[in-house]
Amino acid sequence: MAGSRLPRQLFLQGVAAVFMFAFASLYMQIPGLYGPDGILPARRTLRPQGKGRWPQLWESPTLLWETPLLGLDTAQGLELLSLLGTLLALGALLLHQLRHLLVYLLLWAAYLSAYQVGQVFLYFQWDSLLLETGFLALLVAALRLPPRHKQAQGRLAGVPPHEDLPFWLVRWLLFRLMFASGVVKLTSRCPAWWGLTALTYHFETQCLPTPASWFAHHLPVWLHKLGVVATFLIEIAVPPLFFAPVRRLRLAAFYSQVLLQVLIIVTGNYNFFNLLTLVLTTALLDDAHLAAASGNSRRKKTPTSWPKALLALLLELAVYGLLACGVVHCFGLEVDWKQRTVHSKTTFTFHQFSQWLKMVTLPTMWLGAASLAWELLTALWRWTQVRGWLQKFCAAVQLSIFGTATVALFTISLVPYSYMEPSTHGRLWTGAHRLFGTVEHLQLAHSYGLFRRMTGLGGRPEVVLEGSYDGHHWTQEIEFMYKPGNVSRAPPIVVPHQPRLDWQMWFAALGPHTHSPWFTSLVLRLLQGKEPVIRLIQNHAPRYPFHKQPPTYVRAQRYKYWFSKPGEQGRWWRRQWVEEFFPSVSLGDPTLDTLLRQFGLQGSEPDAADASSCIGRDEAALLWERRKDDPEVTSTAACPVIWIRE
């Protein structure tokens, strides 16, 4: 692969930008989510176990253990970490001097600290992805780039032999993310994905649609089905090209991934997730391409012999031809010239796909291993070209450290990657399992698999909160800023912010309220009129119907929502009442008190602390047990992580 100095700088800037968005978004929501009057107070999550300082920090790695030394409670410490993380990430984004190993180590440690106390509101897949990417960023940042005048003297004069090793891990992470995301759509047996109709529901039923989602939803069905075929192509067939020896194939893979992510950004509010995925795609670029794209290329192109150029061209044509034939064969593509449509259908069975997956999972691991071996051999060859015994010794030490770290992280990642194919996971080297088990609490590697199953096929379920002063007149609906509510309000654009309460409201609507214990705490805080929680719902007080006096009674109804049809003026949604989601309760109500005790949300402080896991990691475990056949929630490393569909 050509030089990667510019892509690495772009990657480090991108990671800094995503950290900035993530910390800033979280900072604004901490009082309502984790403050003393929040939904799930963070102080309940950190309980000393009577162990030493370092064993305690290793088992639960968070800097928030030290907040009492500063005279702060856990929520205040979390605010301080988020604020410092935002400022530090902004500095790394703007200043080259701050793109340093120590800075990215602090960013990763700060976000890991927040993750440890974030409970269910921080158990999203992109939080795990950011932690893994952030750790890779500190390895990439450890490669201090030489001054430009040294680079001008020749590639080997100022560039360390191991420069591409950590950055290769970014490419491997991108491969795992995209390939698994495509595979799980089919292993889930979701009829919408297998019937190629997923996009006819997706734009309407995703958590937070954008205005463009309405227009995308009303595109012709044949175009939706073709979009699903394109998704499978980009997520399953294209990722192996990330390791292609032909540069133009890698660039073609890069642009296909960018296209997919941009379309998702336009048609859905997935906060910083797609931006982070775009940052990962920088690992497919090289200096020559970025310099040419910016018009700053000063290097003379090295002439390529015609046999080599011809061989590369033939390989490209063979790959494109194979992809085209494979898509036509697997999805039965037929052009209807009369109706000007393209017909498509899945022509393979679940059993055939399972057999194929069993056949290719291990080879994809060997593909990664072969690509890594090539990078290691290239680094070793560069080391042999280093002149001077002292320089050679220093380069050997660095190569040993970075080479060992790269191989170790690759080995660790094989364990969660193999989750998608159980038989391969069982045959994996036991040493990899032991190594992964040793460090899994550090969130260094995760299994990924986006958007496995479409929910809301009969209409998107939506929970609507209502308040009343007398328990009889329920005329005041409590409308959230971002999630659908008022049928006349256009869907918002909130990227890169993630309103975490709105996201959890989407998950809560998929089942009974008892599967979302935090919802009872939300109702309690609304009855108490707690301002931090109210600001999560409406940051403009007059828009909150009970801003002058808290409601005496609160209840929740479940509705089904559909996009309005073309021609319906002034309406974005249609809705229909389904059932009561949460009963009418007031402060002191026996039903409310029973639920609070059941979920450990009421009582003395020790009881609340003991029950904190019920609304944190154990709540996610409960969700996993309840939905282990449901793709929205699954288990990865140290704890279950919420999985989001497309």
Side-chain angles (χ1 to χ4, degrees):
M1 193 172 182
S4 61
R5 182 183 65 85
L6 293 177
R8 279 187 282 130
Q9 283 299 304
L10 192 59
F11 169 74
L12 291 176
Q13 282 184 289
V15 172
V18 173
F19 265 124
M20 181 184 68
F21 295 142
F23 277 122
S25 175
L26 181 62
Y27 175 77
M28 296 186 293
Q29 302 175 76
I30 289 173
L33 294 178
Y34 305 117
D37 295 329
I39 299 173
L40 299 178
R43 67 171 181 266
R44 299 175 176 178
T45 60
L46 294 181
R47 292 169 291 144
Q49 303 292 329
K51 301 178 180 179
R53 187 178 199 175
W54 295 111
Q56 181 175 263
L57 186 61
W58 173 254
E59 290 185 9
S60 182
T62 174
L63 299 175
L64 295 173
W65 287 113
E66 308 303 322
T67 53
L69 299 178
L70 302 176
L72 304 174
D73 64 21
T74 305
Q76 291 171 331
L78 186 56
E79 285 185 287
L80 179 61
L81 274 182
S82 299
L83 182 59
L84 292 177
T86 303
L87 297 176
L88 199 60
L90 177 61
L93 174 63
L94 300 178
L95 301 176
H96 177 271
Q97 293 80 359
L98 288 181
R99 290 172 212 143
H100 188 276
L101 162 67
L102 180 60
V103 170
Y104 287 93
L105 176 61
L106 291 174
L107 290 173
W108 173 78
Y111 206 76
L112 178 63
S113 299
Y115 181 87
Q116 294 296 323
V117 302
Q119 306 169 78
V120 73
F121 291 107
L122 241 69
Y123 289 167
F124 291 94
Q125 189 171 175
W126 43 75
D127 295 312
S128 302
L129 182 63
L130 180 55
L131 283 170
E132 184 171 355
T133 305
F135 191 81
L136 298 184
L138 72 90
L139 293 180
V140 174
L143 301 172
R144 299 300 293 166
L145 297 177
R148 292 183 180 273
H149 71 273
K150 286 189 177 182
Q151 294 178 26
Q153 297 175 6
R155 178 177 176 80
L156 299 176
V159 177
H162 57 276
E163 67 158 351
D164 289 331
L165 289 180
F167 202 41
W168 178 90
L169 287 170
V170 179
R171 207 178 346 152
W172 172 244
L173 172 56
L174 178 65
F175 170 81
R176 288 163 42 216
L177 172 67
M178 300 311 301
F179 185 74
S181 296
V183 163
V184 297
K185 292 176 174 62
L186 295 172
T187 57
S188 69
R189 300 195 186 198
C190 173
W193 285 115
W194 277 90
L196 306 182
T197 59
L199 291 184
T200 62
Y201 306 104
H202 160 68
F203 300 113
E204 180 179 69
T205 62
Q206 62 184 318
C207 180
L208 297 178
T210 66
S213 303
W214 186 93
F215 297 96
H217 175 73
H218 291 293
L219 291 172
V221 173
W222 71 266
L223 198 54
H224 284 158
K225 298 179 75 172
L226 204 59
V228 174
V229 172
T231 300
F232 285 136
L233 172 65
I234 293 173
E235 292 186 343
I236 298 179
V238 170
L241 299 182
F242 297 170
F243 307 104
V246 179
R247 176 172 173 266
R248 286 197 296 265
L249 287 176
R250 296 194 300 270
L251 293 178
F254 164 78
Y255 283 109
S256 68
Q257 303 303 316
V258 169
L259 174 63
L260 177 62
Q261 299 307 317
V262 169
L263 290 176
I264 296 175
I265 291 172
V266 171
T267 58
N269 286 296
Y270 291 96
N271 51 81
F272 59 79
F273 174 68
N274 302 109
L275 300 177
L276 181 56
T277 306
L278 287 173
V279 170
L280 294 177
T281 63
T282 58
L284 303 177
L285 299 174
D286 54 48
D287 289 343
H289 185 71
L290 286 178
S294 62
N296 295 327
S297 180
R298 299 179 181 178
R299 296 175 56 186
K300 294 182 179 179
K301 291 185 178 180
T302 305
T304 305
S305 61
W306 71 264
K308 185 177 180 180
L310 179 60
L311 181 61
L313 179 60
L314 291 175
L315 180 59
E316 284 184 71
L317 293 176
V319 169
Y320 296 142
L322 183 62
L323 290 176
C325 292
V327 168
V328 171
H329 173 73
C330 292
F331 298 102
L333 298 184
E334 294 181 0
V335 179
D336 188 332
W337 297 104
K338 292 183 178 180
Q339 297 184 2
R340 297 182 179 179
T341 61
V342 178
H343 299 292
S344 56
K345 62 179 179 180
T346 307
T347 60
F348 52 91
T349 65
F350 178 79
H351 176 73
Q352 289 173 326
F353 179 76
S354 298
Q355 292 301 311
W356 175 85
L357 182 60
K358 187 179 297 184
M359 182 177 64
V360 304
T361 302
L362 194 58
T364 58
M365 296 181 184
W366 284 113
L367 174 64
S371 178
L372 176 57
W374 176 258
E375 295 290 343
L376 289 169
L377 290 174
T378 303
L380 187 61
W381 178 81
R382 291 174 183 162
W383 173 77
T384 63
Q385 307 302 308
V386 176
R387 296 178 180 178
W389 68 268
L390 181 59
Q391 290 84 350
K392 203 158 192 169
F393 175 76
C394 292
V397 172
Q398 293 177 343
L399 178 57
S400 300
I401 294 174
F402 281 93
T404 302
T406 302
V407 172
L409 287 173
F410 171 72
T411 304
I412 290 170
S413 71
L414 294 178
V415 177
Y417 172 69
S418 64
Y419 286 160
M420 65 182 180
E421 211 293 295
S423 64
T424 302
H425 180 72
R427 297 198 308 269
L428 204 60
W429 178 46
T430 56
H433 287 280
R434 287 196 298 268
L435 186 59
F436 175 74
T438 302
V439 300
E440 65 175 344
H441 64 293
L442 298 178
Q443 314 301 319
L444 300 184
H446 301 266
S447 61
Y448 300 101
L450 301 168
F451 319 140
R452 283 210 253 180
R453 184 177 297 164
M454 290 294 111
T455 56
L457 301 188
R460 64 174 292 143
E462 201 66 61
V463 172
V464 175
L465 281 161
E466 297 176 338
S468 172
Y469 289 116
D470 58 10
H472 300 289
H473 299 88
W474 301 88
T475 57
Q476 300 290 338
E477 291 187 0
I478 299 175
E479 186 176 354
F480 285 65
M481 287 183 289
Y482 306 111
K483 82 179 193 69
N486 186 340
V487 296
S488 300
R489 192 187 65 179
I493 298 177
V494 299
V495 171
H497 173 56
Q498 183 191 355
R500 294 181 180 267
L501 177 58
D502 292 66
W503 267 93
Q504 285 299 333
M505 289 291 290
W506 183 82
F507 279 103
L510 299 177
H513 71 84
T514 52
H515 289 170
S516 302
W518 59 267
F519 190 85
T520 302
S521 182
L522 170 63
V523 171
L524 173 65
R525 297 312 191 195
L526 294 180
L527 288 169
Q528 294 172 337
K530 297 300 183 181
E531 188 66 24
V533 175
I534 293 173
R535 282 199 297 268
L536 294 176
I537 298 173
Q538 282 291 346
N539 55 19
H540 186 50
R543 294 182 180 177
Y544 182 69
F546 303 99
H547 65 278
K548 294 182 179 180
Q549 180 183 346
T552 307
Y553 299 89
V554 169
R555 72 179 184 184
Q557 307 289 340
R558 196 197 316 266
Y559 286 82
K560 283 193 175 181
Y561 275 65
W562 299 269
F563 272 139
S564 62
K565 296 179 180 179
E568 294 186 44
Q569 298 295 327
R571 296 181 63 184
W572 287 84
W573 298 96
R574 294 176 293 118
R575 75 177 188 178
Q576 178 181 341
W577 181 85
V578 177
E579 61 184 349
E580 183 180 72
F581 177 78
F582 194 91
S584 171
V585 295
S586 60
L587 291 176
D589 188 291
T591 301
L592 179 61
D593 291 343
T594 299
L595 289 171
L596 291 173
R597 285 194 299 270
Q598 178 183 343
F599 299 134
L601 297 165
Q602 188 183 60
S604 62
E605 188 63 26
D607 292 339
D610 292 340
S612 66
S613 60
C614 172
I615 54 178
R617 296 181 184 274
D618 287 355
E619 179 188 0
L622 179 148
L623 288 170
W624 163 241
E625 288 300 323
R626 174 171 62 88
R627 299 185 197 165
K628 54 188 173 183
D629 293 325
D630 187 326
E632 304 305 337
V633 180
T634 191
S635 177
T636 65
C639 63
V641 175
I642 294 177
W643 295 61
I644 309 301
R645 65 170 182 76
E646 213 166 79

